[in-house]
Amino acid sequence: MPEYGYFLSCEQYGPAELIEQARMAEQAGFQALWISDHYHPWNDEQGQSPFVWSVIGALSEAVSLPVETAVTCPTVRMHPAVVAQAAATSAVMTENRFRLGVGSGEALNEHILGDHWPPAHVRLDMLEEAIQVMRRLFTGEEVNHHGPHYTVENARLYTVPDEPIPIDISGFGPAATQLASRVGDGYITIEPDEAMVEQYRKGGGGGKLVSGGTKVCYDTDKDEAVRTVHRLWANEQLPGELGQVLPSPKHFEQAQQLVTEDMVRENRVCGDDVDEHVAELKKFADAGFDRVYVNQIGPDLRGFFDFYRTKVLPQLQQAV
């Protein structure tokens, strides 16, 4: 049976709200936490974007659940040597309950310093080199590295955990999934795609951790839930590579005018039908995922956590 975790959205909530949600998630019976790593929200309606590493520090004191970034881009906005220090400190503070989820990133967050936003194949090359640099730094030894994308000189992390930090790689297409299977300690994706999981496992991932996540909107009024998702997260219905290449929240707001409420209704679980919520998460279990994370979009957080504690999670456990 998969473990079920809660997905903390840094795009939609401030630090104090995220910490309170983590507490509620643990009390409701969720077994792990994901937390997004963004510089910007996807649109101004979402309205937040705290620095994830500060929030993780607070989470280490507030809850006892495992925590993973979903996902950090360690290639452009932040040098991999700096990400390595942040991840190592997070692992120490959480007593080895931290996993570093990484991906090739989005222009939305990564171009803010004026750096060129490279094409996808170059971003994957950068990600692979960044992972090499970080793993060397996690040993606590001095690192000197002169590669095609990064230079590190006389760098040593003095605060490191006593166990290696797992690095899970996000992949939504064959090339990124192949990279994850070749060099990752786990695989992250957001679609319950059995074929991609199979590619990962057969390509070298074997029995390593496969994690997925989805968003829902619990509300006793389904129509209101649809309107809430359309207002806050219509960007998720945009096709293709737009999520990786649009440079600002304003551009996403322009593009998501093409997304209708009917599209949201067809593609997102909205409302309080237990069977619909269970079926959404069971798709990931049926596709071979080991951990499944869910995020509540709507404002009724207490209702959501009570709903999952009393109805959804027990039914998922019985479904095995």
Side-chain angles (χ1 to χ4, degrees), residues 254-313:
Q254 293 166 11
Q256 68 192 34
Q257 294 178 48
L258 302 173
V259 177
T260 66
E261 289 187 5
D262 285 341
M263 293 168 66
V264 169
R265 193 183 300 272
E266 292 171 6
N267 291 284
R268 275 285 162 254
V269 172
C270 296
D272 61 353
D273 186 309
V274 177
D275 291 339
E276 289 184 8
H277 285 261
V278 169
E280 174 68 11
L281 298 185
K282 197 171 180 299
K283 290 177 187 176
F284 290 88
D286 293 343
F289 284 71
D290 302 303
R291 281 186 182 170
V292 186
Y293 296 82
V294 60
N295 171 255
Q296 160 69 352
I297 292 175
D300 188 1
L301 274 302
R302 178 57 65 188
F304 165 85
F305 284 115
D306 286 345
F307 178 65
Y308 267 69
R309 176 180 58 83
T310 60
K311 296 181 179 181
V312 178
L313 292 178

Side-chain angles (χ1 to χ4, degrees), residues 11 37-40 42 70-73 75-77 103-112 117 123 170 172 241-248 252:
E11 303 94 322
D37 181 358
H38 269 236
Y39 194 90
H40 293 138
W42 297 98
V71 293
T72 293
C73 179
T75 58
V76 179
R77 168 172 49 106
S104 60
E106 305 95 13
L108 174 71
N109 301 303
E110 304 305 321
H111 87 294
I112 58 168
W117 186 236
R123 301 201 306 268
S170 172
F172 306 134
E241 295 183 63
L242 289 178
Q244 283 72 54
V245 300
L246 293 180
S248 77
F252 279 93

